[in-house]
Amino acid sequence: MMRTQSSTTCGSHRALSQFCSFILFGFLATTTVCEPDYPSLDWYHPQVDLLAQLQSRLTGSPNHTTFVNHLESQLQSLGLQVNSDVFQFAYNQAPQSPPQIQLNGQTIPASFYIPYSGNTDAVGVTGTLVNVINPALSSPDWSRANGSIAVLNITNPGTDGAKNLAVWPGSPAWGTLPGVPASAANIYVHNLTDAARLGVKGVIYAWQNLTLANAYGQYGPFKINYQGIPAVQVAGSVSQQIVAAANQGSTVTLTSTGQLFPNGTTRTLWTIVEGTERKNESVIISTHTDGSNVVEENGHLALLAKARELKASPPKRTTILVFLTGHLHTSGFTDKGRVMARWLSDHQDLWNGTNGNGYKALFGSCVEHLGAVQWKEDVANDLYYPTGRLDPEVIYAATEELASLFQSNWRGATPDTIRATNPLKTTAEQGGEGLPFLWSQIPEISLVTAPSWLLKIWPEDFNQTQLMDIPAAKRQVDSFLRIWEAVDILPQSGFGKLNYTRNL
């Protein structure tokens, strides 16, 4: 894989920043402050409609390329110079028809294929089903399925938020959170290259405690390179059917007709707006552009809103907007588990201030999954349905000072619940692409809400706009804009001291 870098009247947002400065330093403001010119709801609708039209934007796919080109055009229309990091990678095109299992003359649709596992021709591969039940993280005993098709259990555990997600003072504790199946797959689906080496013809992962409707289209894992062996996933009653067939030694034919292209191409975009006063101090705001649906990923809405503001009123500190590629195929671009780590490694002059040269980043933000609505599973009755509520926001603040800044400025998806999660004390590392900021000792505030359908590719006839509450997304974007304006004038001591010692 290669990379190349090819008073009462408000005329600007500075009035708001001036007001924020009073708040930051504890003074009472008596000056009338006008509401900033944040994007209206009318601005959001065509943006969201485009995402719904494109549907999934898998890394390097035609839809993803179209979307990246669209973002580039949007930034250029504001007069911003757009930089590109161009990557070549092995791109595995999704199967042109749904993967299938033939069992006893019956066609059983798989819930989805395992991304970058392997491909078959139209005939498929045929073999005896062999149970290799392995809920543990260690490698399965693939040798048991030599010349056969292996069947493995996989589970979708929830999270005990009170135990595993620490919060900053003043924030309500977390409750229990449902699992995200594709994220679970990142943990439980591994070593498929060993299966291929040991002569296994194919693999079927049988989900436990997951409904058929939720399992459909779950794009996971998304952190493996091409494995060379076809693998699919099933759930619900189909899982029970496949496990029973394996216990009986039944023969099946597995078909998953993707295609591997060794020279795929994709781009990360980034733009720099130089500060007017503290140009050697940088603020980095990021999101990713590849995704599975209208919410995964829509963080670009916040960055485009910020780009409009930066063009109208340049910042005091240099501000860098980064639109990452590779999130849904992380291993194709980095071995660190987050593609933002690759960008930071490639562009150290923009954040680490080595030897006094270049920029020193004082703050970072990653915006992911705006306005996500909540769906709920009833596994006992195999039902999956929207609750009519918003999914709980997951927002990380890296220092106590930034947690306080967040709590003072955030009026997000659910304004009556303002919760800042402390990434220094969680049992697992922070989710999403904001984590590399911590690895690089850059204080951050990042959003990474995680509904159970986050990595789900929905049926083509499903209207994806119903996955996103646009007014809630606007509240989140407006809140980020307030935070970023406050950050622009914050004294260095106001960011707090970050000492992050964990890593992958």
Side-chain angles (χ1 to χ4, degrees):
M1 186 269 296
M2 298 165 42
R3 180 188 68 86
T4 59
Q5 181 173 320
S6 73
S7 114
T8 61
T9 302
C10 296
S12 73
H13 295 272
R14 293 302 109 193
L16 176 67
S17 294
Q18 183 63 41
F19 176 71
C20 288
S21 67
F22 286 121
I23 299 299
L24 288 168
F25 293 101
F27 297 115
L28 292 176
T30 57
T31 305
T32 301
V33 179
C34 297
E35 180 68 19
D37 184 23
Y38 293 159
S40 68
L41 285 173
D42 290 339
W43 177 81
Y44 284 85
H45 286 288
Q47 303 277 355
V48 175
D49 287 343
L50 174 62
L51 295 177
Q53 176 186 343
L54 291 173
Q55 299 187 336
S56 67
R57 289 155 282 132
L58 302 181
T59 310
S61 67
N63 283 359
H64 183 220
T65 299
T66 296
F67 182 62
V68 172
N69 292 342
H70 166 76
L71 289 177
E72 182 178 47
S73 177
Q74 293 259 294
L75 295 167
Q76 289 173 338
S77 71
L78 294 172
L80 298 175
Q81 178 180 333
V82 181
N83 305 283
S84 291
D85 294 341
V86 182
F87 300 94
Q88 289 186 346
F89 71 108
Y91 165 60
N92 198 58
Q93 185 183 60
Q96 297 304 294
S97 57
Q100 294 182 342
I101 302 167
Q102 296 285 337
L103 171 63
N104 297 329
Q106 178 186 6
T107 298
I108 303 172
S111 295
F112 210 56
Y113 64 100
I114 297 295
Y116 284 84
S117 56
N119 306 311
T120 73
D121 58 19
V123 176
V125 295
T126 299
T128 302
L129 291 176
V130 175
N131 261 327
V132 186
I133 303 302
N134 180 61
L137 300 183
S138 58
S139 181
D141 182 6
W142 295 114
S143 63
R144 294 174 54 190
N146 174 268
S148 303
I149 293 178
V151 176
L152 280 81
N153 279 350
I154 184 172
T155 189
N156 181 42
T159 299
D160 182 347
K163 179 179 178 181
N164 296 303
L165 295 173
V167 296
W168 288 102
S171 294
W174 281 103
T176 300
L177 298 174
V180 179
S183 296
N186 281 332
I187 299 172
Y188 291 106
V189 177
H190 52 90
N191 293 327
L192 288 174
T193 52
D194 288 346
R197 178 177 56 82
L198 292 170
V200 180
K201 289 185 174 182
V203 180
I204 301 175
Y205 285 91
W207 281 103
Q208 311 300 307
N209 70 307
L210 189 66
T211 60
L212 274 169
N214 191 12
Y216 177 90
Q218 286 287 351
Y219 192 83
F222 52 92
K223 296 184 179 184
I224 60 174
N225 290 324
Y226 189 74
Q227 302 290 291
I229 180 172
V232 300
Q233 45 188 309
V234 296
S237 59
V238 180
S239 285
Q240 298 170 15
Q241 184 178 6
I242 291 296
V243 171
N247 289 336
Q248 296 169 6
S250 299
T251 297
V252 301
T253 297
L254 172 63
T255 307
S256 183
T257 56
Q259 186 174 357
L260 183 66
F261 295 90
N263 295 311
T265 302
T266 187
R267 292 192 296 157
T268 282
L269 307 179
W270 47 282
T271 186
I272 302 176
V273 180
E274 191 168 85
T276 58
E277 296 181 12
R278 303 170 184 173
K279 60 181 61 179
N280 290 330
E281 297 176 357
S282 63
V283 169
I284 304 173
I285 302 170
S286 68
T287 188
H288 61 90
T289 57
D290 45 349
S292 50
N293 54 58
V294 74
V295 169
E296 169 72 305
E297 180 56 65
N298 61 9
H300 72 284
L301 295 169
L303 275 68
L304 288 181
K306 184 60 177 177
R308 286 167 31 122
E309 181 181 280
L310 292 171
K311 184 61 181 176
S313 182
K316 289 178 168 50
R317 290 185 167 106
T318 295
T319 300
I320 305 169
L321 306 179
V322 184
F323 302 81
L324 297 161
T325 191
H327 180 75
L328 285 194
H329 184 47
T330 309
S331 57
F333 307 90
T334 178
D335 61 359
K336 302 299 183 183
R338 305 289 193 279
V339 289
M340 187 61 187
R342 174 66 186 268
W343 189 88
L344 290 169
S345 176
D346 288 343
H347 300 286
Q348 297 189 40
D349 58 313
L350 299 181
W351 65 271
N352 71 358
T354 303
N355 299 323
N357 299 320
Y359 301 94
K360 176 64 177 177
L362 300 185
F363 177 80
S365 265
C366 183
V367 184
E368 299 179 77
H369 321 148
L370 295 162
V373 303
Q374 185 183 65
W375 283 52
K376 184 177 181 179
E377 281 193 296
D378 177 353
V379 175
N381 294 298
D382 200 28
L383 297 176
Y384 189 51
Y385 56 92
T387 66
R389 298 189 293 271
L390 290 162
D391 212 72
E393 293 175 315
V394 181
I395 301 173
Y396 293 92
T399 66
E400 186 174 6
E401 291 84 351
L402 289 180
S404 178
L405 179 68
F406 161 78
Q407 290 165 338
S408 298
N409 288 277
W410 193 259
R411 302 292 180 269
T414 50
D416 58 338
T417 303
I418 310 298
R419 180 189 287 113
T421 300
N422 181 350
L424 281 67
K425 294 186 177 181
T426 55
T427 56
E429 286 200 289
Q430 171 178 324
E433 293 291 348
L435 177 58
F437 289 128
L438 301 181
W439 293 340
S440 301
Q441 306 302 327
I442 300 172
E444 52 113 24
I445 297 175
S446 294
L447 169 71
V448 59
T449 300
S452 59
W453 49 263
L454 180 62
L455 278 299
K456 183 177 173 65
I457 296 179
W458 295 78
E460 290 185 4
D461 60 354
F462 179 81
N463 180 5
Q464 292 194 19
T465 60
Q466 62 189 290
L467 297 173
M468 181 177 171
D469 185 315
I470 294 179
K474 173 176 164 52
R475 292 194 297 272
Q476 291 174 318
V477 172
D478 290 353
S479 295
F480 266 120
L481 292 173
R482 283 192 294 271
I483 288 170
W484 295 335
E485 287 189 353
V487 161
D488 193 43
I489 60 173
L490 194 66
Q492 288 194 17
S493 60
F495 294 96
K497 180 65 175 178
L498 176 62
N499 181 25
Y500 191 80
T501 57
R502 290 195 282 182
N503 54 56
L504 286 179

